[in-house]
Amino acid sequence: MKTLLTLFFTVVCLAQPQQTKNYLEESRPQYEARMKWWSEARFGMFIHWGLYSIPAGEWKGSTNHAEWIRTTARIPLEEYNKFVGQFNPVKFNPTEWVRMAKNAGMKYIVITSKHHDGFCLFDSKFTDFDIMATPFKRDILKELADACHKEGIKICWYHSIMDWHHPDYLPRREWENDRPNAGAEYERYVQHMKNQLKELLTNYGQISVLWFDGEWESTWNTKYGTELYDYVRSLQPNIIINNRVGAGRSGMEGFTKAGQFAGDFGTPEQEIPATGLSGVSWETCMTMNDNWGFNKNDQKWKSTEDLIHKLADIASKGGNFLLNVGPTSEGVFPQQAIERLRELGGWMKINGESIYETKASPFKGLEWGRCTQKAIDGGARLYLHVFNWPANGKLIVPGILNEPKQAFLLADKEQLHLLVRRQEDALVIDVPAIAPDPNNSVVVVDVRGGVDVTTPPIISAKFDIFVDALDVTVKSEREKVDLRYTLDGTTPAASSTLVTGPIRLTGTTTVTARCFHDGKPVSGSVSSRFTKVEPRPSTNLTASVPGIRYSYYEGSWSSMPDFALLKPVKQGILPEFDLSPRNLPEDFAFEYRGFVRALESGIYGFFTDSDDGSRLFIGDVLVVDNDGLHGIREKKGVVALAAGLHPIRVEFFQKSGGRELRVLMQGPKGEKQEIPASSLFIEK
Ligand code: FHN
């Protein structure tokens, strides 16, 4: 029956007149008005739920799967479809879920309407692979949306572009021999996705965010993405859409490459950017343990302290925090998640004002914690998130030129004033001996006028180690300041040496710098240490030939495995670093061993660009640590080498999603480049 309806609706939808307004031409004020509630909300709940909660991460003895289990365990579709008949989350209580989010201080919920496996948690006329085909037979999204609307929480959909079930989606999984491409029409799949999005955006009331995902495969592109953005906005003009609607996101760091279509906000995943990006909306999404979908064996739960710090860190950079819960197949949140939500709520109940509607910190960094801020009449209110409470009762806020109006503890209902006085560039606040909160105590400081902060100077050099001599530069982002420095680790004073150009070092030195104006310090100080080193002696090989040895492994890891404990599937010699000699599995690892040639003695930078984790050793020294589950990410390290051959070892592992490895080096006078075959050797 549904098939006939599908055909009917597909024809009807294709016949729909195209909407006239082009939502891509929205003005900045219109964009900011539409984003206002989201930017003020700062904190939301992510929910990954579906058939994968039934195996709960386990398959044929392997226990580190989750929502990707159909692919990571290579379960044939026919086998996976059997979960439909088992999905009966009788304990599902939407109001309970929504109240747990609300009481945790979360303002919106993003739930998987359809994840990559293609199963729909809602009643769709366009597929039988949905909740109505299960024993549960209740439209989960409808019940959750109703509960959200009733409780004043924004309801949002996560929707995967990638679909491992629909016959028209391409590409198939490489290992799927039972699902030939024949007859698949991707354009028909795109229309199917639009048909379902029309259901999701017309049958469930106001939907606040459409959180696309699974956009990275070659079949999706910017044209599809911009059209889909426009289409979704035509159905709910005020909806917000993430950057994964397009095809321009750069891996897990989540921001959109320059010039690509960026949707409405960036989506760093499992990581918090080092700084916010001015004028760019972004949201870090993160798991509470190691998995998005429920994994009954995953006990790597982040502590509540860590989650509160992450929330404050993200808000201090102007971002939102989308924290995930993976419910069980019975329809309940794991107890560890419930406890953390309750503890987060306890902190937010007292300190939520320091998160909601705040803007990013005016400081580059604070030793004791983070800062968020709000404009108030005649000035600004600073929320000082103090993770490390000062033992001496003096909280120092460096480099701020504003005069204070008042200070108090946010947790203090009486708002008893704390003594605030100026000490050179800093405000010093006398705080009680005991911190009001064990994880993050918020001190409020109101200051007069627009916030006027001078960040410490920037001390930089090509590397932080050197062989003979090194030129160090000291600069400030602020104009009309004098930069003064010391070379003995002491804090610069008005009488210290003025920076007049590069500072040449010939021995190991700590450079400390500070900004001054009219002979007074106006910033905190900053120090960097530069070390003089001896080059590592080269290795003399009796005979060598070009190449690099590789060992290839299969398995599923979330961090670099210990290769000494593994048996390689195959080994060989390659001309350079390369992932090609692998088999079909999504999850695999490589170890490369050989020698790299240093053409001259000096300092060498090594880099790995990888998705997922990688590490690079010279000899037994770990020079680049780029381990972990992440999108394409570059990490670097430096080492001093004598001219000649040096042993190099590179490790790499891949787990689901994108896969990439580039190994680069930069010599004392050369440019950064991928290590060419001409620089790689093995012992004959
Ligand atoms: O592949 C998905 C993954 O299962 C999960 O949904 C995360 C959450 O944003 N997104 C993708 C991985 O980047």
Side-chain angles (χ1 to χ4, degrees), residues 46 48 67-68 115-116 158 162 211 213 216 244 249 252 269 285 292:
F46 215 167
H48 277 69
E67 74 287 353
W68 268 70
H115 202 262
H116 309 330
Y158 164 113
M162 177 165 65
W211 213 99
D213 199 12
W216 53 80
R244 302 189 187 192
R249 168 174 64 110
M252 303 291 231
E269 180 171 326
C285 59
W292 299 100

Side-chain angles (χ1 to χ4, degrees), residues 274-295:
T275 64
L277 280 181
S278 172
V280 174
S281 300
W282 57 276
E283 169 195 78
T284 280
C285 59
M286 199 172 273
T287 51
M288 238 188 247
N289 52 11
D290 259 4
N291 287 285
W292 299 100
F294 179 60
N295 176 315

Side-chain angles (χ1 to χ4, degrees), residues 7-39:
L7 185 64
F8 168 74
F9 275 95
T10 301
V11 169
V12 167
C13 292
L14 282 170
Q16 289 287 355
Q18 289 304 314
Q19 79 279 345
T20 51
K21 185 173 169 53
N22 179 343
Y23 292 96
L24 301 166
E25 292 167 2
E26 183 179 54
S27 70
R28 183 74 188 178
Q30 289 170 326
Y31 165 78
E32 288 175 355
R34 185 164 55 89
M35 293 297 290
K36 186 171 183 293
W37 75 264
W38 185 88
S39 303

Side-chain angles (χ1 to χ4, degrees), residues 24 26 45 126 151 159 184 194 198 211 230 236 310 315 329 384 398 422 449 456 467 489 504-505 547 549 672:
L24 301 166
E26 183 179 54
M45 177 184 278
F126 298 95
E151 294 288 335
H159 200 74
K194 284 184 173 179
K198 183 163 187 171
W211 213 99
D230 214 24
Q236 292 226 13
K310 285 174 164 46
S329 59
L384 308 178
R422 175 158 295 286
V467 176
R504 166 137 309 195
L505 307 180
R549 295 187 190 286
K672 180 166 95 172

